[in-house]
Amino acid sequence: MPLPRPRTVLLVTGTALLVRRALRRRVRRSPLWPLPALENPVSGHSERRSTTTHRLLITERTSPADGVVRLRLEGTALPSWRPGAHLDLLLPSGLVRQYSLCGDPAVADTYTIATRLVEDGRGGSREVHERLREGDEVEVRAPRNRFPLVDAPAYLFVAGGIGITPILPMLRSVAASGADWRLLYGGRSRASMPFLDEIEKLGADGGRVTVVPADEAGHPDTAGALADTAQGTAVYCCGPEPLMDAVAAALPPGRTLHLERFAPASASSAGSGPFDVELRRSGRTVRVAADRSVLAAVREEVPHVSYSCEQGFCGTCRQRVLEGEVDHRDELLTDAERDDSMLICVSRCRGERLVLDL
């Protein structure tokens, strides 16, 4: 069989390069290609967060309490963070989970996270406990903070169980600054409460820490702790939803409340009925039933749409809203971001129709 002429080889190679360049330009113009592009495509772009990941080495694995694993992750040129921040951990299985940073922000190029094993959870904590070991590498996305420590004349921290993780760096910070602070810390038992030794040492000089193991003393007295606060006190709470509900219900006037949830807040009944979602670029309309998410309905028409946590935390499923009023149920977007986008895994429509840039 005769070999192709050099001229033919050059022609085929040149054509392939031109096609490749054209395809790259097409994808840049519309990240969800091959769907038809709008004049100004926006979904798939986010000015707030980067999709850049950092590959980190697990240099230490410890157990600060029964059923809790703490991992120290080390890398190079890692973004800085402040107390209250969390990061996305990309697990080997492809799951993405969010964990609060509980280390020291002053220690460069090191992130520390801790997670409790949830027996009836969705698999993320089990994967961390059973698969991740010292010497393994993992990927993370840069920290972000929706639970920042604000300046205040005094602080009351209320934590339940693993909810201590975002609060621990705050305690170190306020203790070092000489601020007026107290902590009410509840858990099933002392053995199940992580970082207890360090926390009790932080508050040893003024009776600042009240530890309430349920097997010894029942439930924490949130109302009593709040009643002892002064005007202007910043109240920080993280833990099970009943604990946060109790704090919110007993909050006196003149105090500011800051909550960090590890699960979505109970959805309101508003906007729970069926509605239509027009997918503008694909030219299709889907019906979202009262018992289905927008994500589930959309994926029937656009199977490759990105998603991960399905709880309104990670932001992977964020889409641009072109028309309609959104019933936002996520725990991530800022007020400004909610003006024109939504997380389709949890949020819904307050009316009868939404239009998405999909």
Side-chain angles (χ1 to χ4, degrees), residues 248-293:
L251 187 74
R255 285 71 169 170
T256 59
L257 179 59
H258 308 264
L259 301 175
E260 173 81 320
R261 300 181 185 275
F262 288 157
S266 298
S268 67
S269 58
S272 294
F275 55 93
D276 292 325
V277 176
E278 178 188 340
L279 311 179
R280 179 62 56 84
R281 272 192 276 169
S282 65
R284 308 170 203 172
T285 297
V286 299
R287 185 69 170 171
V288 180
D291 60 349
R292 299 193 75 198
S293 68

Side-chain angles (χ1 to χ4, degrees), residues 138-316:
V138 293
E139 285 188 291
V140 304
R141 296 193 185 110
R144 58 188 187 272
N145 200 336
R146 60 169 181 260
F147 192 49
L149 182 64
V150 300
D151 291 332
Y155 299 89
L156 172 64
F157 301 97
V158 182
I162 197 64
I164 194 66
T165 51
I167 287 176
L168 181 58
M170 298 183 183
L171 299 179
R172 298 190 190 111
S173 177
V174 296
S177 71
D180 180 13
W181 66 276
R182 288 186 297 125
L183 168 68
L184 180 61
Y185 184 17
R188 292 194 300 269
S189 65
R190 286 182 175 271
S192 73
M193 299 169 71
F195 314 116
L196 192 54
D197 289 344
E198 179 185 354
I199 288 167
E200 289 184 323
K201 288 177 182 176
L202 283 172
D205 63 346
R208 298 179 184 276
V209 175
T210 302
V211 177
V212 187
D215 62 350
E216 298 176 18
H219 297 297
D221 181 11
T222 54
L226 287 162
D228 289 340
T229 59
Q231 285 274 347
T233 297
V235 179
Y236 281 81
C237 181
C238 183
E241 190 165 346
L243 175 67
M244 292 190 288
D245 289 344
V247 171
L251 187 74
R255 285 71 169 170
T256 59
L257 179 59
H258 308 264
L259 301 175
E260 173 81 320
R261 300 181 185 275
F262 288 157
S266 298
S268 67
S269 58
S272 294
F275 55 93
D276 292 325
V277 176
E278 178 188 340
L279 311 179
R280 179 62 56 84
R281 272 192 276 169
S282 65
R284 308 170 203 172
T285 297
V286 299
R287 185 69 170 171
V288 180
D291 60 349
R292 299 193 75 198
S293 68
V294 176
L295 173 64
V298 167
R299 290 191 71 237
E300 291 184 353
E301 296 293 335
V302 189
H304 63 272
V305 68
S306 298
Y307 70 100
S308 178
C309 75
E310 298 185 79
Q311 289 192 316
F313 285 112
C314 71
T316 305

Side-chain angles (χ1 to χ4, degrees), residues 22-351:
L23 181 59
R24 283 179 177 172
R25 288 195 297 270
R26 186 64 180 82
V27 172
R28 287 194 195 103
R29 289 198 305 271
S30 179
L32 297 178
W33 187 84
L35 292 180
L38 294 178
E39 182 178 350
N40 295 301
V42 284
S43 287
H45 295 280
S46 173
E47 296 179 357
R48 180 182 59 81
R49 65 179 286 208
S50 169
T51 57
T52 301
T53 61
H54 303 268
R55 195 155 190 84
L56 307 183
L57 179 68
I58 301 175
T59 59
E60 184 179 67
R61 173 186 162 121
T62 58
S63 180
D66 291 348
V68 177
V69 162
R70 173 173 51 190
L71 301 177
R72 186 173 68 196
L73 315 174
E74 297 187 12
T76 57
L78 298 182
S80 61
W81 60 280
R82 294 179 180 274
H86 69 280
L87 53 70
D88 293 342
L89 177 65
L90 284 63
L91 293 167
S93 66
L95 292 175
V96 180
R97 293 294 182 264
Q98 292 69 46
Y99 295 109
S100 295
L101 291 166
C102 56
D104 185 350
V107 179
D109 297 332
T110 299
Y111 296 151
T112 301
I113 60 173
T115 178
R116 183 182 298 283
L117 177 62
V118 182
E119 295 287 353
D120 58 349
R122 297 178 302 123
S125 67
R126 181 168 296 282
E127 186 170 353
V128 171
H129 279 246
E130 295 181 356
R131 293 189 59 181
L132 300 187
R133 296 289 183 268
E134 289 183 16
D136 290 345
E137 289 188 334
V138 293
E139 285 188 291
V140 304
R141 296 193 185 110
R144 58 188 187 272
N145 200 336
R146 60 169 181 260
F147 192 49
L149 182 64
V150 300
D151 291 332
Y155 299 89
L156 172 64
F157 301 97
V158 182
I162 197 64
I164 194 66
T165 51
I167 287 176
L168 181 58
M170 298 183 183
L171 299 179
R172 298 190 190 111
S173 177
V174 296
S177 71
D180 180 13
W181 66 276
R182 288 186 297 125
L183 168 68
L184 180 61
Y185 184 17
R188 292 194 300 269
S189 65
R190 286 182 175 271
S192 73
M193 299 169 71
F195 314 116
L196 192 54
D197 289 344
E198 179 185 354
I199 288 167
E200 289 184 323
K201 288 177 182 176
L202 283 172
D205 63 346
R208 298 179 184 276
V209 175
T210 302
V211 177
V212 187
D215 62 350
E216 298 176 18
H219 297 297
D221 181 11
T222 54
L226 287 162
D228 289 340
T229 59
Q231 285 274 347
T233 297
V235 179
Y236 281 81
C237 181
C238 183
E241 190 165 346
L243 175 67
M244 292 190 288
D245 289 344
V247 171
L251 187 74
R255 285 71 169 170
T256 59
L257 179 59
H258 308 264
L259 301 175
E260 173 81 320
R261 300 181 185 275
F262 288 157
S266 298
S268 67
S269 58
S272 294
F275 55 93
D276 292 325
V277 176
E278 178 188 340
L279 311 179
R280 179 62 56 84
R281 272 192 276 169
S282 65
R284 308 170 203 172
T285 297
V286 299
R287 185 69 170 171
V288 180
D291 60 349
R292 299 193 75 198
S293 68
V294 176
L295 173 64
V298 167
R299 290 191 71 237
E300 291 184 353
E301 296 293 335
V302 189
H304 63 272
V305 68
S306 298
Y307 70 100
S308 178
C309 75
E310 298 185 79
Q311 289 192 316
F313 285 112
C314 71
T316 305
C317 69
R318 179 181 173 184
Q319 298 295 335
R320 178 70 177 266
V321 179
L322 303 177
E323 296 177 26
E325 184 180 0
V326 179
D327 176 14
H328 292 284
R329 302 182 180 185
D330 66 274
E331 298 290 336
L332 180 70
L333 299 182
T334 65
D335 289 343
E337 291 166 339
R338 288 180 174 185
D339 285 343
D340 61 0
S341 61
M342 68 182 290
L343 302 190
I344 62 173
C345 66
V346 292
S347 296
R348 301 183 65 79
C349 178
R350 289 193 178 276

